[in-house]
Amino acid sequence: MTQNNRSQWDAGRFLKTLTYFEVIPFLNCLQQLLTGNTSNKKTSQSGVTNMGMILVAGATGGVGKRVVQRLLNHNYSVRALVRDAQRGREMLGDQVELFEADISIPETLTPQLMENISAVVCCTGVRVQPVEGDTPNREKYYQGIKFYLPEVVDSPEIVEYQGIKNLVQAAANSLTKADEKLLFNFINTGNRQLSNALKSDNLKAIWGAVDDVVMGGVSESYVQLLDNAMLFTGNVSTANSGGFVSVRTRNFEPELNLTGYEGIELRVKGDGQRYKFILRNEAKWDGVAYCYSFDTEKDNWINIRIPFANLIGVFRAKTLRDAQPFDPSKVNALQLMLSKFEYDGALNPNFQPGVFALQVETIKAYGGSAKPKFIMISSAGVTRPGRPGINLEEEPPAVRMNEQLGGILTWKLRGEDAVRESGIPYTIIRPCALTEESGGKALIFDQGDNIKGKVSREDIAELCLQLLEQPQACNLTFEVKEDSDSDGRLDWKSIFSNLKVDA
Ligand SMILES: NC(=O)c1ccc[n+]([C@@H]2O[C@H](COP(=O)([O-])OP(=O)(O)OC[C@H]3O[C@@H](n4cnc5c(N)ncnc54)[C@H](OP(=O)(O)O)[C@@H]3O)[C@@H](O)[C@H]2O)c1
């Protein structure tokens, strides 16, 4: 490279790019030692990629708190609907967003409660206690096996029926839309507490520039957070045989699984140029890229749909005839690019060297098969009060004492009906007696409301977690108890496929 006919190539920036993406791990270690920064450079799915949020109602209850814990352990963002925020914070820790509300008071179920919610797990239940009183930690209620004469504290009609109906109505708007998964949301709703907007230091930890400096060019780009978008901007130059700028995420850890979705939808405002969106199936820095070119409209917000089926497999802008089809189950990284070239040396017809600007509001996966979006914990026995042929002597206390307990099961059934009629893809779990015993048991599922037995709250919480990712579990109502004879892993997919969908 001579100084006369070529612009100065920036070796420092080249190394910076490679170290950011850990292409040169040694330099990264050195940099960490020098700066004292030892933060993990991989992009974890929690906090940095926004996967939508799960609302847990009754989050301070015996099942609810376990559902929250499991969701957090699996990198979900969680909003907890609680009646007492201080108690919620003490019980659930700092990682959850708390929302103080009461399902029996519709005015408290505001649009903010449902903002960005992708599913609701409803673990509420009218408070039941022994007539003689309980310990402060409700040990008598929670143990679930020994009988204490019970009483209800609030009205079952108001909590189990009206409350569920209120919650379903508040959720219906957000949860009946076509199935999509929010990957990045750059919109700042003005309330950081309630928005999924990323903080700018986070943005820089996820998205880094990969410009033609890696090939000897001198273009330069960066990203920054505006109020309601991520801005990808800079200067693209064709000097030194260059001519591209891009921003790419660090590799996701674990890989993103977009199985079941049709493609990616971007909401963008550009400058009239043609950009590329790129996905990668491998963690390799310089591997196969799956590309899609899209035209922007100057100063207009538009939605761009990128079907996975239309992605072109390329290596350094050369199309690969024998590339494997794109595999949505292992998405390692995303990239936005502006290049002088299309593919195989053809020129981008909508390209101008110089300053460019592309704003991105959201990046979503679209066209997913519906998964359960309202999971309700009901109870075994809800259809048994008053059923001909029932021998009350042999029934669990809630069935036997339904009348004395304010019609608790009758109102729970009405609450179930509100969920079934809502139009939201749902699953209704009817557990037998809940215990505080350890989980990990094999479970027995049934339909028709006939089984008796017990099941650990741990296993019900695990079931809720599994249901969120099971399209086969949509619109099912089933009873569940533990199989006291066996522990074991369950084949969730075949269990839910074998249950009958509600008529
Ligand atoms: N116990 C059993 O053997 C058994 C068997 C089968 C099914 N079930 C059902 O399974 C579900 C979960 O049981 P669990 O033992 O986890 O119950 P739990 O510990 O009593 O939890 C119920 C939760 O609902 C909340 N809640 C009650 N009224 C509310 C309202 N108006 N607004 C908002 N939240 C409200 C409570 O909030 P606070 O924390 O503020 O009180 C609590 O967090 C319940 O529906 C229960 O009826 C229980």
Coordinates of all heavy atoms in Angstrom, one line a residue, residues 58-64 81 83-84 87 101-104 123-128 138 141-142 144 154 159-160 377-380 408 412 431-434 457, ligand 1:
G58 N -49.8 -13.2 40.9 CA -49.7 -14.1 42.1 C -48.2 -14.5 42.3 O -48.0 -15.6 42.8
A59 N -47.3 -13.6 42.0 CA -45.9 -13.9 42.0 C -45.3 -14.1 43.4 O -44.2 -14.7 43.6 CB -45.1 -12.8 41.3
T60 N -46.1 -13.7 44.4 CA -45.6 -13.9 45.8 C -46.2 -15.2 46.4 O -46.0 -15.4 47.6 CB -45.9 -12.7 46.7 OG1 -47.2 -12.2 46.4 CG2 -44.9 -11.5 46.4
G61 N -46.9 -15.9 45.6 CA -47.6 -17.2 46.1 C -46.6 -18.3 46.1 O -45.5 -18.2 45.5
G62 N -47.1 -19.5 46.6 CA -46.2 -20.7 46.6 C -45.8 -21.1 45.3 O -44.6 -21.5 45.1
V63 N -46.7 -21.2 44.3 CA -46.3 -21.6 42.9 C -45.6 -20.4 42.2 O -44.6 -20.5 41.6 CB -47.5 -22.1 42.1 CG1 -47.1 -22.3 40.7 CG2 -48.1 -23.3 42.8
G64 N -46.2 -19.2 42.4 CA -45.8 -18.0 41.7 C -44.3 -17.7 41.9 O -43.6 -17.4 40.9
L81 N -46.7 -9.3 39.0 CA -47.9 -8.6 39.5 C -48.1 -9.0 41.0 O -48.3 -10.2 41.3 CB -49.2 -9.0 38.7 CG -50.5 -8.3 39.0 CD1 -51.4 -8.5 37.8 CD2 -51.1 -8.6 40.3
R83 N -49.4 -7.7 45.1 CA -50.3 -6.8 45.8 C -49.5 -5.9 46.8 O -49.9 -4.8 47.2 CB -51.3 -7.6 46.6 CG -52.3 -8.3 45.7 CD -53.5 -8.7 46.5 NE -53.2 -9.9 47.3 CZ -54.2 -10.5 48.0 NH1 -55.4 -10.1 47.9 NH2 -53.9 -11.6 48.7
D84 N -48.2 -6.3 47.1 CA -47.4 -5.5 48.0 C -46.0 -5.5 47.5 O -45.3 -6.5 47.5 CB -47.5 -6.2 49.4 CG -46.6 -5.5 50.4 OD1 -45.7 -4.7 50.0 OD2 -46.8 -5.8 51.6
R87 N -43.0 -6.4 49.8 CA -42.9 -7.8 50.1 C -42.4 -8.5 48.8 O -41.6 -9.4 48.9 CB -44.3 -8.3 50.5 CG -44.3 -9.7 51.0 CD -45.6 -10.1 51.7 NE -45.8 -11.5 51.6 CZ -46.6 -12.1 50.7 NH1 -47.3 -11.3 49.9 NH2 -46.7 -13.4 50.6
A101 N -50.6 -4.4 41.8 CA -52.0 -4.3 41.3 C -52.8 -5.4 42.0 O -52.2 -6.2 42.7 CB -52.0 -4.6 39.8
D102 N -54.1 -5.3 41.8 CA -55.0 -6.3 42.4 C -55.9 -6.8 41.3 O -56.6 -5.9 40.7 CB -55.7 -5.6 43.5 CG -56.6 -6.6 44.3 OD1 -57.2 -7.5 43.7 OD2 -56.6 -6.5 45.6
I103 N -56.0 -8.0 41.0 CA -56.8 -8.5 39.9 C -58.3 -8.2 40.1 O -59.0 -8.2 39.1 CB -56.5 -10.0 39.5 CG1 -56.8 -10.9 40.6 CG2 -55.1 -10.2 39.0 CD1 -56.9 -12.4 40.2
S104 N -58.7 -8.0 41.3 CA -60.1 -7.8 41.5 C -60.4 -6.3 41.3 O -61.6 -5.9 41.4 CB -60.5 -8.2 42.9 OG -59.9 -7.5 43.9
C123 N -50.9 -17.4 38.6 CA -50.8 -18.3 39.8 C -51.6 -17.7 40.9 O -51.3 -18.1 42.1 CB -49.3 -18.4 40.2 SG -48.2 -18.8 38.9
T124 N -52.5 -16.9 40.7 CA -53.3 -16.3 41.7 C -54.3 -17.3 42.3 O -54.6 -18.3 41.6 CB -54.1 -15.1 41.3 OG1 -55.0 -15.5 40.2 CG2 -53.3 -13.9 40.8
G125 N -54.8 -17.1 43.5 CA -55.8 -17.9 44.1 C -56.3 -17.2 45.3 O -55.5 -16.5 46.0
V126 N -57.6 -17.4 45.6 CA -58.1 -16.8 46.8 C -57.4 -17.4 48.0 O -57.1 -18.6 48.0 CB -59.6 -17.0 46.9 CG1 -60.0 -18.4 47.1 CG2 -60.3 -16.1 47.9
R127 N -57.1 -16.5 49.0 CA -56.3 -17.0 50.1 C -57.2 -18.0 51.0 O -58.3 -17.7 51.4 CB -55.9 -15.8 51.0 CG -54.8 -16.1 51.9 CD -54.4 -14.8 52.7 NE -53.5 -15.0 53.7 CZ -52.2 -14.8 53.5 NH1 -51.7 -14.4 52.4 NH2 -51.3 -15.1 54.5
V128 N -56.6 -19.1 51.2 CA -57.2 -20.1 52.1 C -56.3 -20.3 53.3 O -55.1 -20.4 53.2 CB -57.3 -21.5 51.3 CG1 -57.9 -22.6 52.2 CG2 -58.2 -21.3 50.1
R138 N -47.3 -19.4 56.6 CA -48.4 -20.2 56.1 C -48.0 -21.7 56.0 O -48.4 -22.3 55.0 CB -48.8 -19.7 54.7 CG -49.3 -18.2 54.8 CD -49.8 -17.7 53.4 NE -51.0 -18.4 53.0 CZ -51.4 -18.4 51.8 NH1 -50.8 -17.8 50.8 NH2 -52.6 -19.0 51.4
Y141 N -51.0 -24.2 55.6 CA -51.6 -24.2 54.2 C -50.6 -24.9 53.2 O -51.0 -25.7 52.4 CB -51.9 -22.8 53.8 CG -52.2 -22.7 52.3 CD1 -53.4 -23.2 51.8 CD2 -51.3 -22.2 51.4 CE1 -53.7 -23.2 50.4 CE2 -51.5 -22.2 50.0 CZ -52.8 -22.7 49.5 OH -53.0 -22.7 48.2
Y142 N -49.4 -24.5 53.3 CA -48.5 -24.9 52.2 C -48.2 -26.4 52.2 O -47.9 -27.0 51.2 CB -47.2 -24.1 52.3 CG -47.3 -22.8 51.6 CD1 -46.8 -21.6 52.1 CD2 -47.9 -22.7 50.3 CE1 -47.0 -20.4 51.5 CE2 -48.1 -21.5 49.7 CZ -47.6 -20.3 50.2 OH -47.8 -19.1 49.6
G144 N -49.9 -29.1 52.5 CA -50.7 -29.7 51.5 C -51.2 -31.1 51.7 O -52.0 -31.6 50.9
D154 N -60.8 -14.1 51.4 CA -61.5 -13.2 50.5 C -62.6 -13.9 49.8 O -62.9 -15.1 50.0 CB -60.5 -12.6 49.4 CG -59.4 -11.9 50.1 OD1 -59.6 -11.1 51.0 OD2 -58.2 -12.1 49.6
V159 N -62.2 -13.1 43.4 CA -60.8 -13.4 43.0 C -60.7 -14.4 41.9 O -60.1 -14.2 40.8 CB -59.9 -13.9 44.2 CG1 -58.5 -14.2 43.8 CG2 -59.9 -12.9 45.3
E160 N -61.4 -15.5 42.1 CA -61.3 -16.7 41.1 C -62.0 -16.4 39.8 O -61.6 -17.0 38.8 CB -61.8 -18.0 41.8 CG -61.1 -18.3 43.1 CD -59.7 -18.8 43.0 OE1 -59.2 -18.8 41.9 OE2 -59.1 -19.2 44.0
I377 N -53.2 -21.5 36.6 CA -53.2 -22.6 37.5 C -54.6 -22.6 38.1 O -54.9 -21.7 38.9 CB -52.2 -22.4 38.7 CG1 -50.8 -21.8 38.2 CG2 -52.0 -23.6 39.5 CD1 -49.9 -22.7 37.6
S378 N -55.3 -23.6 37.8 CA -56.6 -23.8 38.4 C -56.6 -24.9 39.4 O -55.6 -24.9 40.2 CB -57.6 -24.1 37.3 OG -58.9 -24.4 37.8
S379 N -57.4 -25.9 39.4 CA -57.4 -26.9 40.4 C -58.1 -28.2 39.9 O -59.2 -28.1 39.3 CB -58.0 -26.4 41.7 OG -58.1 -27.5 42.7
A380 N -57.6 -29.3 40.3 CA -58.4 -30.6 40.1 C -59.6 -30.4 40.9 O -59.6 -29.8 42.0 CB -57.5 -31.8 40.5
I408 N -65.6 -22.1 46.1 CA -64.3 -21.8 45.5 C -64.0 -22.5 44.2 O -63.5 -21.9 43.2 CB -63.2 -22.2 46.6 CG1 -61.8 -21.8 46.0 CG2 -63.2 -23.7 46.9 CD1 -60.7 -21.9 47.1
K412 N -63.8 -21.0 40.4 CA -62.5 -21.3 39.6 C -62.9 -21.8 38.2 O -62.3 -21.4 37.2 CB -61.7 -22.4 40.3 CG -60.5 -21.9 41.1 CD -59.6 -23.0 41.5 CE -58.6 -22.6 42.6 NZ -57.7 -21.5 42.3
P431 N -53.9 -28.7 39.0 CA -53.1 -29.6 39.9 C -54.0 -30.3 41.0 O -54.9 -29.7 41.4 CB -52.1 -28.7 40.5 CG -52.5 -27.3 40.2 CD -53.7 -27.3 39.3
C432 N -53.6 -31.5 41.4 CA -54.1 -32.1 42.6 C -53.5 -31.4 43.8 O -52.8 -30.3 43.6 CB -53.9 -33.6 42.6 SG -54.8 -34.4 41.3
A433 N -53.6 -31.9 45.0 CA -53.1 -31.2 46.2 C -51.7 -30.7 46.1 O -50.8 -31.5 45.7 CB -53.3 -32.1 47.4
L434 N -51.4 -29.5 46.3 CA -50.1 -28.9 46.1 C -49.2 -29.1 47.4 O -49.7 -28.8 48.5 CB -50.1 -27.4 45.8 CG -50.7 -27.1 44.4 CD1 -50.9 -25.6 44.3 CD2 -49.8 -27.6 43.3
R457 N -45.2 -28.2 44.2 CA -45.3 -26.8 43.6 C -44.1 -26.6 42.7 O -44.2 -25.9 41.7 CB -45.3 -25.7 44.7 CG -46.7 -25.6 45.4 CD -46.7 -24.4 46.3 NE -48.0 -24.3 46.9 CZ -48.4 -25.0 48.0 NH1 -47.6 -25.9 48.6 NH2 -49.7 -24.8 48.5
Ligands
LIG1 N1 -53.3 -25.7 47.9 C1 -53.6 -26.7 47.1 O1 -53.5 -27.8 47.5 C2 -54.1 -26.4 45.7 C3 -54.4 -27.5 44.9 C4 -54.8 -27.2 43.6 C5 -54.8 -26.0 43.1 N2 -54.5 -24.9 43.9 C6 -54.5 -23.6 43.3 O2 -53.2 -23.3 42.7 C7 -52.9 -21.9 42.7 C8 -51.6 -21.6 43.3 O3 -51.6 -22.1 44.7 P1 -50.5 -21.5 45.8 O4 -50.5 -22.5 46.8 O5 -49.3 -21.0 45.1 O6 -51.4 -20.3 46.3 P2 -50.9 -19.0 47.2 O7 -49.6 -19.3 47.8 O8 -52.0 -18.7 48.1 O9 -50.7 -17.9 46.1 C9 -51.8 -17.2 45.6 C10 -51.3 -15.9 45.1 O10 -52.4 -15.1 44.5 C11 -52.3 -13.8 45.0 N3 -53.6 -13.1 45.0 C12 -54.7 -13.5 45.7 N4 -55.7 -12.6 45.5 C13 -55.2 -11.7 44.6 C14 -55.7 -10.5 44.0 N5 -56.9 -10.1 44.2 N6 -54.9 -9.8 43.2 C15 -53.6 -10.2 42.9 N7 -53.1 -11.3 43.5 C16 -53.8 -12.0 44.3 C17 -51.7 -13.9 46.3 O11 -51.1 -12.6 46.7 P3 -50.5 -12.3 48.1 O12 -49.1 -13.0 48.1 O13 -50.4 -10.8 48.1 O14 -51.4 -12.9 49.1 C18 -50.7 -15.0 46.1 O15 -49.5 -14.4 45.6 C19 -54.1 -21.3 43.4 O16 -55.0 -20.9 42.4 C20 -54.7 -22.4 44.2 O17 -56.1 -22.2 44.4 C21 -54.1 -25.1 45.2

